[in-house]
């Protein structure tokens, strides 16, 4: 894609687009509920992508909520790939079928599955499961995820595993499971408190830096990419369903004015001081995401 960039602001090379606020899971540590988004923006996606590309974005990660709940997800991914972006989807896997994976193989470069524990007993405690399951005290998340993961592996996808460590799973050992899954990239996050998102249950979830470090040490031989609370703060370029840039400032999300109202340059200017290039680079925000399979 050859679009002139002169005169434009420069955005981080990687963008997380949390375009779908809804989710069919009830993860207690979730900090992406988007309770204030009743209707998503209908801003033209081709224009959004073109504006992002001219401002240096080269990878778009489609996130939620649960992004697979949006009926336009196929179009969003396909168009992004056609316009030259590396595409990544982070999902709980409930809507990921072998047929869908086969159809999207050309356009979706990376798929990330969220698995937090070696067993579904722990997933139930965390809330990682369908709303109906969690209400009844159980989860089949790992069972479902393994089916989707194996189907994606057969089709040759680049696979990323995401794991959040909190009080409920701090003593778990995922070594055997992760060795079997053999992800191309494994990201491990310390559960992050955000005001208005998960602070009402934080007493149940909080994990100390020492406990998190012990969990990481137990899995160090599998080479996880580790992100503590400090590394997650101010190091992500994020866009929500209203097309507002936002970031974590002092344990609370701060938002820009929506892009459709003021344009991309002004919206980013409102939030730019909250983003740290140094922390972004320090946490490995730029990595070899070029398609390898």
């Amino acid at each position: 894609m050859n679009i002139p960039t002169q005169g434009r602001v420069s955005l981080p090379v990687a963008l997380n687009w949390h375009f779908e606020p809804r989710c069919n899971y009830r993860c207690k540590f979730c900090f992406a509920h988007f309770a204030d988004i009743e209707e998503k923006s209908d801003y033209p996606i081709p224009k959004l992508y073109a504006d992002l590309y001219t401002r240096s974005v080269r990878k778009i990660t489609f996130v939620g909520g649960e992004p697979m709940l949006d009926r336009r997800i196929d179009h969003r991914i396909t168009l992004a790939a056609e316009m030259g972006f590396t595409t990544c989807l982070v999902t709980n896997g409930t809507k990921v079928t072998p047929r869908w994976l086969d159809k999207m193989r050309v356009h979706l470069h990376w798929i990330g599955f969220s698995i937090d524990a070696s067993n579904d007993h722990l997933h139930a405690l965390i809330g990682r499961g369908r709303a109906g399951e969690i209400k009844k005290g159980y989860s089949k998340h790992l069972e479902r995820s393994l089916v989707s993961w194996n189907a994606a592996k057969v089709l040759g996808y680049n696979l990323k595993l995401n794991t959040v460590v909190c009080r409920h799973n701090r003593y778990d050992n995922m070594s055997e499971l992760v060795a079997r899954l053999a992800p191309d990239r494994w990201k491990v996050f310390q559960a992050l408190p955000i005001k208005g998102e998960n602070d009402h249950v934080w007493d149940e979830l909080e994990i100390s830096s020492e406990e998190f470090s012990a969990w990481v040490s137990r899995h160090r031989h599998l080479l996880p990419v580790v992100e503590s609370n400090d590394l997650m703060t101010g190091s992500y370029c994020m866009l929500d369903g209203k097309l507002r840039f936002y970031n974590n400032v002092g344990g609370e999300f701060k938002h820009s004015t929506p892009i459709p109202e003021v344009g991309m340059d002004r919206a980013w200017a409102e939030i730019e001081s909250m983003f740290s290039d140094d922390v972004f680079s320090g946490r490995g925000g730029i990595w070899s995401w070029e398609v390898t399979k």
Side-chain angles (χ1 to χ4, degrees):
M1 185 175 184
N2 186 17
I3 300 176
T5 62
Q6 188 173 4
R8 308 288 188 181
V9 301
S10 181
L11 296 176
V13 70
L15 170 84
N16 282 15
W17 187 14
H18 294 259
F19 66 91
E20 175 52 65
R22 298 173 299 159
C23 188
N24 54 355
Y25 266 37
R26 293 296 180 266
C27 304
K28 295 177 182 177
F29 50 65
C30 180
F31 52 77
H33 293 100
F34 305 109
D36 67 327
I37 298 181
E38 297 179 1
E39 292 186 11
K40 293 173 284 184
S41 173
D42 58 0
Y43 192 75
I45 302 305
K47 176 171 174 47
L48 175 69
Y49 286 173
D51 287 348
L52 289 171
Y53 200 94
T54 61
R55 290 158 177 81
S56 305
V57 175
R58 292 296 179 268
K59 178 171 73 76
I60 299 178
T61 299
F62 298 90
V63 211
E66 171 49 48
M68 289 294 290
L69 295 180
D70 190 299
R71 57 184 175 80
R72 297 167 294 180
I73 182 63
D74 296 12
H75 173 68
R76 294 177 190 271
I77 293 172
T78 300
L79 181 60
E82 290 174 348
M83 294 184 71
F85 295 97
T86 295
T87 58
C88 179
L89 173 77
V90 175
T91 176
N92 61 35
T94 51
K95 301 288 185 180
V96 176
T97 65
R99 181 178 179 181
W100 184 85
L101 288 167
D102 188 47
K103 179 178 73 170
M104 296 302 295
R105 181 63 189 96
V106 176
H107 310 291
L108 181 56
H109 305 130
W110 287 83
I111 184 164
F113 290 92
S114 298
I115 300 175
D116 302 312
S118 63
N119 62 78
D120 276 333
H121 170 70
L122 289 175
H123 281 137
L125 293 176
I126 293 168
R128 172 91 57 197
R130 291 183 184 272
E133 294 173 351
I134 299 304
K135 187 176 182 180
K136 296 177 181 178
Y138 73 95
S139 170
K140 291 188 176 182
H141 173 65
L142 182 58
E143 179 182 326
R144 283 189 297 267
S145 296
L146 292 177
V147 173
S148 299
W149 181 281
N150 291 332
K153 179 173 282 190
V154 168
L155 288 167
Y157 273 89
N158 294 288
L159 286 165
K160 187 157 76 85
L161 179 65
N162 285 354
T163 298
V164 177
V165 184
C166 67
R167 183 173 299 178
H168 289 301
N169 61 347
R170 69 190 188 277
Y171 298 129
D172 191 28
N173 192 328
M174 294 181 65
S175 296
E176 182 179 345
L177 173 63
V178 175
R180 180 157 41 101
L181 294 175
D184 297 285
R185 183 173 172 84
W186 184 23
K187 291 197 72 174
V188 172
F189 307 90
Q190 181 182 4
L192 179 68
I194 296 291
K195 184 179 179 180
E197 299 289 337
N198 56 20
D199 52 326
H200 63 291
V201 291
W202 193 243
D203 288 345
E204 178 186 342
L205 300 172
E206 185 175 10
I207 179 173
S208 69
S209 297
E210 293 75 17
E211 289 171 324
F212 182 62
S213 295
W215 190 101
V216 169
S217 295
R218 194 155 59 246
H219 299 86
R220 182 68 72 183
H221 61 291
L222 294 165
L223 305 179
V225 178
V226 179
E227 292 191 18
S228 64
N229 288 172
D230 289 341
L231 289 177
M232 281 185 279
T233 301
S235 67
Y236 279 87
C237 177
M238 298 183 290
L239 201 60
D240 70 9
K242 288 184 176 180
L243 296 187
R244 300 175 298 182
F245 289 111
Y246 71 101
N247 219 319
N248 170 20
V249 179
E252 184 176 2
F253 286 143
K254 302 293 184 182
H255 300 83
S256 74
T257 306
I259 290 171
E261 295 181 21
V262 298
M264 187 168 290
D265 291 347
R266 180 172 166 185
W268 177 248
E270 293 177 0
I271 206 85
E272 184 176 13
S273 64
M274 305 173 192
F275 179 85
S276 170
D277 285 307
D278 290 341
V279 180
F280 172 68
S281 300
R283 69 168 176 80
I286 300 176
W287 48 278
S288 301
W289 57 60
E290 292 80 8
V291 179
T292 59
K293 297 178 181 178

